Amino acid sequence: MSYSQTQSSGFNPSQPKGARRVCVLGGGCIGLSNAVVLSRRLKERGQSSSVSITIVAENFPPATTSNAAAGLWRVFSVMGVDQKTLDRWAESTQRWLEEQMRTSDGADHGIFPTFIVEGADASSGNPPDWLRRMNGFRMLTEAEKSLFGLRAPVAWQWLSLIVESGRYMVWLKELCMKGSIRFEQRKVESMDDLAEYDYVLNCTGLAAHKLFNDSAVVPVRGQIMRVKAPWIKHITLSTTDNTYTYIIPNRDFVVLGGVAQEGNWSTEVSASDSAGIWERCCKTIPSLRSAEVLEEVVGLRPCRKTGVRIELDSARLSDGRALPIVHNYGHGGSGFTIHWGCAEDAVDLLLPVLDLPPALSKL
């Protein structure tokens, strides 16, 4: 095998004897959620003992792109997907997140509601139909726009969910562990590195550009600042003059952003981007100038120009065997917004291929 390191996560249950071996490739939000959805579906069908699930990834939380996400339920930077499909994925994910939010430890999972004030250039058009259906939606008056520091020609407010990426990713990993899902940390260079598995759920995001020779996969670089500003209680979004500005409160910090630079592979913090983010956010909410900057983070959104790829495929291994693969990547900046709906679709493709024996009756 060609990989840089192999490391156990410290929690790896034994594999059921004779079980079909499924590799979930990728340790970000998409990979972990696919593993959880598959585990839950198998449990519902009484077939958990027929399948062993292992997540293989070079990086696990907190060292993933998902951990750099601003953390907001809102569609952003998804290419090539029809609105009906996008709405279905987003609504399914919203239902899942709201169910978890209403549990006694929902806040510990990083999920909580807040309202958003959002402004846009006239050229960006009025809010889309899906947004108009959201709870609490209404257009803002000129006086309200001024109060919130929005200088955009049109503005509105609506109620959404914050999905605090760090806490949510920890919780997804905990769900995996409760589902007896194994973890293996290593870098995969080719599908031959996964020859010990019977099936693969490919959730590699940007890495699919090289690993699967998918030239449609491109980075859309993002950069954020995390600051200490506990007085900020609402989300502010603004798309004006070809810039995207957002102020998103989390439990322990406030996220300031951002940039969306297609084709930029740099993961280094840019001083000019920092200055632009800081000035735009402080112009919107002047009190932020007194906020302490805690850290700056760069992440590469895994976009795919031809749309999110959720489909059945196979790879021919060097031993001649065809390894079945279900792809699920290319979610752009909307991973936390559509991850659960996409995982459901991917698992729907995988389950018939597994050709599992009927579950034993519980009677």
Side-chain angles (χ1 to χ4, degrees), residues 8-221:
S8 167
S9 71
F11 179 87
N12 278 324
S14 60
Q15 300 189 47
K17 187 176 181 180
R20 288 155 174 78
R21 297 160 298 180
V22 175
C23 168
V24 178
L25 186 56
C29 175
I30 303 301
L32 297 186
S33 57
N34 273 253
V36 172
V37 170
L38 176 58
S39 175
R40 289 161 63 97
R41 288 282 185 84
L42 292 169
K43 183 177 181 181
E44 290 168 1
R45 295 157 60 119
Q47 296 174 316
S48 296
S49 62
S50 299
V51 179
S52 69
I53 306 170
T54 304
I55 304 175
V56 177
E58 182 178 8
N59 295 302
F60 286 101
T64 70
T65 298
S66 298
N67 286 83
L72 169 64
W73 187 91
R74 195 216 191 280
V75 175
F76 177 72
S77 225
V78 181
M79 303 175 180
V81 179
D82 66 90
Q83 193 61 50
K84 184 177 180 180
T85 300
L86 199 56
D87 287 351
R88 179 171 60 82
W89 289 339
E91 288 168 7
S92 176
T93 305
Q94 182 186 29
R95 286 193 297 271
W96 158 256
L97 291 172
E98 288 180 348
E99 288 172 5
Q100 310 317 306
M101 179 192 69
R102 287 192 288 267
T103 63
S104 60
D105 49 0
D108 291 333
H109 303 332
I111 310 168
F112 48 95
T114 191
F115 77 90
I116 299 175
V117 294
E118 184 171 355
D121 286 329
S123 60
S124 301
N126 289 320
D129 290 341
W130 70 265
L131 205 155
R132 290 179 176 275
R133 297 192 297 269
M134 293 295 101
N135 290 329
F137 174 86
R138 68 176 178 83
M139 301 300 292
L140 295 181
T141 66
E142 289 299 320
E144 288 169 332
K145 287 197 297 181
S146 177
L147 177 65
F148 288 113
L150 293 172
R151 295 166 178 81
V154 292
W156 52 86
Q157 75 167 33
W158 56 291
L159 187 65
S160 186
L161 298 173
I162 289 174
V163 186
E164 192 170 332
S165 58
R167 295 180 189 274
Y168 188 70
M169 292 294 289
V170 168
W171 181 57
L172 278 182
K173 191 171 182 181
E174 289 175 355
L175 289 180
C176 289
M177 295 169 69
K178 290 177 181 177
S180 297
I181 294 167
R182 297 167 57 86
F183 296 84
E184 188 176 354
Q185 186 169 6
R186 57 179 166 112
K187 183 176 181 179
V188 173
E189 301 284 2
S190 75
M191 288 300 95
D192 277 322
D193 291 351
L194 300 177
E196 70 267 35
Y197 292 100
D198 302 311
Y199 308 89
V200 172
L201 259 171
N202 169 36
C203 307
T204 50
L206 202 58
H209 178 92
K210 180 179 179 181
L211 190 58
F212 293 92
N213 196 30
D214 190 342
S215 60
V217 176
V218 295
V220 175
R221 181 180 174 277

Side-chain angles (χ1 to χ4, degrees), residues 313-340:
D313 190 15
S314 66
R316 185 67 62 180
L317 304 183
S318 58
D319 63 6
R321 180 168 65 95
L323 177 63
I325 301 171
V326 172
H327 297 288
N328 185 4
Y329 65 87
H331 306 81
S334 293
F336 283 95
T337 302
I338 62 177
H339 69 283
W340 200 259

Side-chain angles (χ1 to χ4, degrees), residues 226-232 252-254 287-288 290-294:
R226 290 173 176 153
V227 304
K228 189 174 182 179
W231 59 90
I232 303 298
D252 301 322
F253 52 81
V254 175
S287 63
L288 283 170
S290 63
E292 176 189 356
V293 177
L294 302 175

Side-chain angles (χ1 to χ4, degrees), residues 335-352:
F336 283 95
T337 302
I338 62 177
H339 69 283
W340 200 259
C342 290
E344 290 176 328
D345 278 10
V347 169
D348 283 343
L349 288 178
L350 178 64
L351 284 173

